Amino acid sequence: MKILITGTEGYIGARMAPLLMARGHTVEGLDTGFYRDGWLYSDIHQLGMVPRTIIKDLRHVTTADLEGYDAVVHLAELSNDPLGENRPEITFQINHRGSVDLATKAKAAGVKRFVYASSCSVYGVGSGDFLDETGAVNPQTAYAKCKVMVERDVSAMADAGFSVTFLRNATAYGASPRMRFDIVLNDLSALAWTTKRIAMTSDGSPWRPIVHIEDIATAVRCALEAPTSAVNGEIFNVGSNSENYRVREIAQIVADVFPGCELSTGKGGADNRSYRVSFDKISSKLPGFKCSWTARQGAEELRARFEQIEFDKTTYEFRAFTRLKQIRYLSRSGQIDQDFFWR
Ligand SMILES: NC(=O)c1ccc[n+]([C@@H]2O[C@H](COP(=O)([O-])OP(=O)(O)OC[C@H]3O[C@@H](n4cnc5c(N)ncnc54)[C@H](O)[C@@H]3O)[C@@H](O)[C@H]2O)c1
């Protein structure tokens, strides 16, 4: 298959592209390069398999850019709740309008499959019961509201010639050259390694399903390779039932893997999200899909990588590994304009 992945210079895309290439697919990328300054480590899998990448803003993509691809995997957005709240109007411009326009142009260009990286953030605040794809969503932020609107608008485009699939990923973790420390397991692991303190920002009670980025890549691969009858118009939560944790349980796993750290809770802040998610559908209905990673293995992977690269506090705090810091820096320094286009 010839596949265009948007967001190949991002956290997930940097690990997904080599995986799909190793599978024998022809992969090309598209990315505007907001986080280009950040590259945590190199290895032969990453360096040998960087896809040819079109450097372009999603909002400037044309139908002609999308001609010749069998599938588009769409990852490129302002990709988390705090970043989405920074300038909500731009979040709607990129994440909602940009994504719907991309799907419209992909369909016009004759692309046969569109796989969209949605998020379990759409569940927002739940009661603690397992939430599945058939239940009501309760998005709390601009980021999550955009995910819901893209699912609604793009699902209306599905037909026999244009298969659309929505993957509601749990919060990601795991090592990537395009590392992010603004997600719970990565952040707590980096804190443990660099400061010996595992400081939760909440009281630790919120439910947070988590999933390794390699398992997200596997879900994308399975969605691309499945018969369209199994995936067209479908939403799948991506993760596994056993990987629903309260934040304090994630912190305890990190404490076990990084011994000798002090564990502390915080007061909690604006982030009131708490959701516990059922992953029954993906494990029974998406052919070939199974999660391979657990939170503990993820923390161990990070520990080994930190040790290998002599990871330190300066690198942990580097702006390009934390999305909101990097976007604020690019704005402050005048490199991007008020609409987040490069000057
Ligand atoms: N990381 C998670 O925990 C998680 C969880 C659920 C869903 N997702 C979704 O998966 C996707 C990928 O996430 P990620 O963690 O790799 O994000 P990321 O922020 O690391 O990467 C996103 C990439 O998209 C690019 N991009 C952003 N706006 C763009 C634009 N207007 N034009 C072109 N490129 C643009 C950025 O430069 C970046 O390289 C996102 O849609 C995100 O919402 C992520």
Side-chain angles (χ1 to χ4, degrees):
M1 224 180 256
K2 187 171 176 197
I3 303 163
L4 179 74
I5 306 180
T6 71
T8 28
E9 292 202 352
Y11 171 58
I12 297 173
R15 240 178 114 164
M16 182 184 293
L19 272 161
L20 290 177
M21 289 162 96
R23 183 84 182 163
H25 296 294
T26 301
V27 176
E28 295 185 352
L30 182 136
D31 202 298
T32 195
F34 285 147
Y35 312 102
R36 193 159 248 208
D37 303 351
W39 183 268
L40 190 69
Y41 64 87
S42 296
D43 62 30
I44 194 67
H45 305 294
Q46 298 297 337
L47 292 176
M49 291 212 183
V50 175
R52 191 179 79 86
T53 301
I54 306 164
I55 305 297
K56 200 171 201 180
D57 194 286
L58 180 62
R59 294 165 289 178
H60 289 157
V61 170
T62 63
T63 303
D65 289 328
L66 302 170
E67 276 163 8
Y69 294 104
D70 301 303
V72 170
V73 176
H74 180 38
L75 309 176
E77 286 187 359
L78 297 174
S79 326
N80 70 13
D81 293 279
L83 174 59
E85 290 304 276
N86 176 43
R87 293 280 309 282
E89 67 286 11
I90 309 294
T91 305
F92 283 99
Q93 222 185 76
I94 294 176
N95 294 18
H96 177 226
R97 263 302 13 113
S99 297
V100 173
D101 288 350
L102 179 76
T104 307
K105 288 168 188 162
K107 187 172 179 176
V111 171
K112 296 281 176 278
R113 290 177 186 243
F114 189 86
V115 176
Y116 177 64
S118 188
S119 166
C120 285
S121 252
V122 299
Y123 296 117
V125 185
S127 61
D129 291 339
F130 283 95
L131 300 162
D132 70 19
E133 295 85 345
T134 60
V137 293
N138 187 13
Q140 300 293 301
T141 59
Y143 168 77
K145 285 175 189 156
C146 287
K147 293 291 191 200
V148 172
M149 292 192 295
V150 175
E151 288 184 3
R152 179 198 64 195
D153 296 347
V154 175
S155 65
M157 296 177 203
D159 62 24
F162 189 62
S163 168
V164 299
T165 308
F166 307 97
L167 300 177
R168 286 183 184 163
N169 299 298
T171 297
Y173 64 85
S176 166
R178 298 285 185 196
M179 197 58 186
R180 304 287 175 252
F181 293 118
D182 48 19
I183 33 186
V184 61
L185 185 98
N186 293 359
D187 189 30
L188 296 180
S189 299
L191 274 173
W193 180 261
T194 58
T195 68
K196 291 264 171 210
R197 289 202 185 89
I198 301 170
M200 288 168 263
T201 50
S202 70
D203 65 3
S205 64
W207 284 104
R208 192 71 86 253
I210 59 177
V211 65
H212 194 282
I213 49 178
E214 209 169 81
D215 288 329
I216 294 179
T218 301
V220 166
R221 175 179 70 69
C222 293
L224 289 168
E225 295 176 358
T228 55
S229 56
V231 294
N232 193 3
E234 297 294 331
I235 298 174
F236 296 97
N237 295 330
V238 179
S240 70
N241 289 345
S242 60
E243 297 302 296
N244 277 287
Y245 297 100
R246 288 189 188 272
V247 169
R248 61 172 173 262
E249 294 171 330
I250 300 175
Q252 188 55 56
I253 290 167
V254 171
D256 294 343
V257 173
F258 296 81
C261 294
E262 187 188 306
L263 251 176
S264 64
T265 51
K267 288 197 188 71
D271 188 0
N272 61 347
R273 290 173 307 140
S274 179
Y275 41 87
R276 199 176 181 198
V277 173
S278 164
F279 298 98
D280 287 345
K281 181 176 173 183
I282 194 163
S283 59
S284 59
K285 299 268 167 63
L286 184 61
F289 179 79
K290 192 174 176 298
C291 275
S292 311
W293 289 79
T294 62
R296 180 172 304 277
Q297 290 168 328
E300 285 165 357
E301 178 197 38
L302 290 175
R303 196 196 142 97
R305 193 55 91 171
F306 292 164
E307 202 161 351
Q308 178 199 29
I309 64 172
E310 302 174 10
F311 182 61
D312 62 11
K313 196 156 177 280
T314 309
T315 307
Y316 166 48
E317 289 174 351
F318 182 50
R319 53 182 159 72
F321 297 129
T322 296
R323 286 166 271 225
L324 188 51
K325 263 194 207 173
Q326 174 72 356
I327 293 292
R328 284 192 169 146
Y329 160 75
L330 292 176
S331 297
R332 194 170 67 239
S333 56
Q335 296 179 73
I336 55 174
D337 69 14
Q338 56 182 9
D339 293 321
F340 294 5
F341 289 112
W342 295 106
R343 280 186 202 272

